[in-house]
Amino acid sequence: MPEAQQYYIGIDVGGTSVKLGLFDASGELLARESVPTPSLACAEGYAAVVGGIERLMGSQRQPMLFVRGIGLAIPCPVPASGVITVAANIEIDAPALMAALQDRCSGAAIRYVNDANAAAMGELWRGSARGHRSMVMVTIGTGLGGGVVVNGDVVDGAFGAGGEIGHMCVNPAEERICGCGRRGCLEQYASATGVVSNYLRACGRAGVEPVELAGPSDSRSVFDAARSGDAAALAAIDTTVDYLSLGLQIVSAVVDPEVYVIGGGASAGADLFLDALRERFAARAFPASSKCAIEVAELGNDAGIFGAAYVALRAVQREA
Ligand SMILES: [Zn+2]
């Protein structure tokens, strides 16, 4: 099929909306759509997603026949087998949704991908890891997500837990319990929630009142305090950098990526921690890996649709 007749759909299934992007084979975003997240376990829900694809193709006056690949980024583990067994935070019947999409787009390769892994693939395709073959995405949001790419493909893992760098234990002595039920996970120190919790602890140690916070993951207020010289906020960021550099040098010993890409909401504080993170990583890493670059993500909230589309394109390339 000529390249001009190949279109790829990237779908990012979130808790409140399903975002869809239409791409050509070179990764140009041609059009986008968004629908409120329906139940993806019934005919109406499947029709809402199919309708979004129809509008995207219609916007370019292209037939559905030219949809060559569809990638769906979803917030739950996706094992390499593609068989999703763990229930997500969203209502989804993955095989039935795939069948409904295949029914309308018979010539398309359809793939599921975990949302953090999709973000990694998006940054690899058209973001700050462009041109690289290996990278690790570090998504610092409410939690700490990760995506590991080796030789151009994401490492899903046998059980769908590939790239779960937020749940590497970096402090076995921790008493507080992580969301996963274990203790001392990297996410407990190096997520937006971790920044806030580091800050509250630093305030407690110093015996000072914390600044007003909008919630348990309001890292923005901590970053603002740090920019005005607040000692506890600076100490909190130092703790984040300390654990994050510890985590990344472990990742480097296993994957040895060309670049780390820092994304997620808390990457808005990168001006406060990026230089320190680069320095401390370089000092801690195994010497051969110490030159690994650490960059800030470029695609923001669009990383998921880019990456989902790219996963589908890679599947088509492999089949060819
Ligand atoms: Zn954990």
Side-chain angles (χ1 to χ4, degrees):
M1 193 184 280
E3 200 159 271
Q5 294 177 3
Q6 293 183 27
Y7 291 86
Y8 294 87
I9 311 281
I11 302 177
D12 190 357
V13 179
T16 54
S17 70
V18 177
K19 288 185 290 181
L20 303 95
L22 175 65
F23 298 85
D24 65 17
S26 72
E28 208 60 53
L29 175 58
L30 304 170
R32 58 167 81 226
E33 277 281 334
S34 177
V35 294
T37 304
S39 161
L40 293 172
C42 63
E44 294 77 30
Y46 310 148
V49 177
V50 169
I53 297 174
E54 286 170 340
R55 286 195 298 281
L56 286 174
M57 292 302 280
S59 75
Q60 305 300 304
R61 298 187 176 76
Q62 298 294 339
M64 292 290 275
L65 187 67
F66 290 176
V67 177
R68 197 68 190 85
I70 302 172
L72 296 112
I74 54 175
C76 60
V78 179
S81 65
V83 179
I84 295 151
T85 52
V86 177
N89 307 321
I90 47 163
E91 209 179 323
I92 184 167
D93 182 339
L97 173 58
M98 187 182 271
L101 291 169
Q102 197 77 76
D103 200 44
R104 189 69 183 87
C105 307
S106 53
I110 305 176
R111 293 290 184 277
Y112 284 103
V113 57
N114 166 264
D115 54 0
N117 290 344
M121 289 296 276
E123 292 291 337
L124 183 80
W125 197 25
R126 297 287 291 189
S128 41
R130 199 177 336 189
H132 292 284
R133 290 176 56 76
S134 68
M135 63 88 79
V136 173
M137 177 93 193
V138 181
T139 304
I140 311 180
T142 310
L144 181 68
V148 174
V149 175
V150 174
N151 288 335
D153 286 308
V154 80
V155 177
D156 320 86
F159 308 101
E164 285 287 356
I165 64 171
H167 298 285
M168 294 190 305
C169 179
V170 288
N171 180 13
E174 177 59 68
E175 290 173 355
R176 295 169 301 168
I177 295 173
C178 176
C180 72
R182 295 148 66 240
R183 295 165 205 269
C185 290
L186 182 55
E187 174 170 295
Q188 291 185 278
Y189 314 95
S191 58
T193 318
V195 169
V196 169
S197 120
N198 295 342
Y199 172 64
L200 295 175
R201 286 189 146 192
C203 288
R205 276 197 306 272
V208 299
E209 274 299 304
V211 297
E212 196 177 329
L213 296 168
S217 55
D218 178 18
S219 59
R220 179 200 292 251
S221 294
V222 178
F223 291 138
D224 285 344
R227 287 190 191 98
S228 59
D230 183 302
L234 290 165
I237 292 166
D238 187 70
T239 302
T240 295
V241 166
D242 202 43
Y243 280 109
L244 193 52
S245 59
L246 184 61
L248 297 190
Q249 62 83 29
I250 296 171
V251 173
S252 275
V254 181
V255 179
D256 193 23
E258 292 172 298
V259 58
Y260 287 100
V261 176
I262 310 285
S267 64
D271 58 305
L272 292 159
F273 64 75
L274 190 60
D275 288 343
L277 179 62
R278 285 169 171 158
E279 272 173 37
R280 215 165 303 176
F281 168 81
R284 280 186 151 154
F286 183 67
S289 298
S290 64
K291 289 185 186 65
C292 178
I294 304 179
E295 306 292 348
V296 175
E298 286 177 6
L299 298 178
N301 292 333
D302 286 340
I305 54 172
F306 274 89
Y310 189 44
V311 165
L313 182 143
R314 291 281 297 170
V316 169
Q317 285 176 339
R318 266 197 306 273
E319 284 167 12

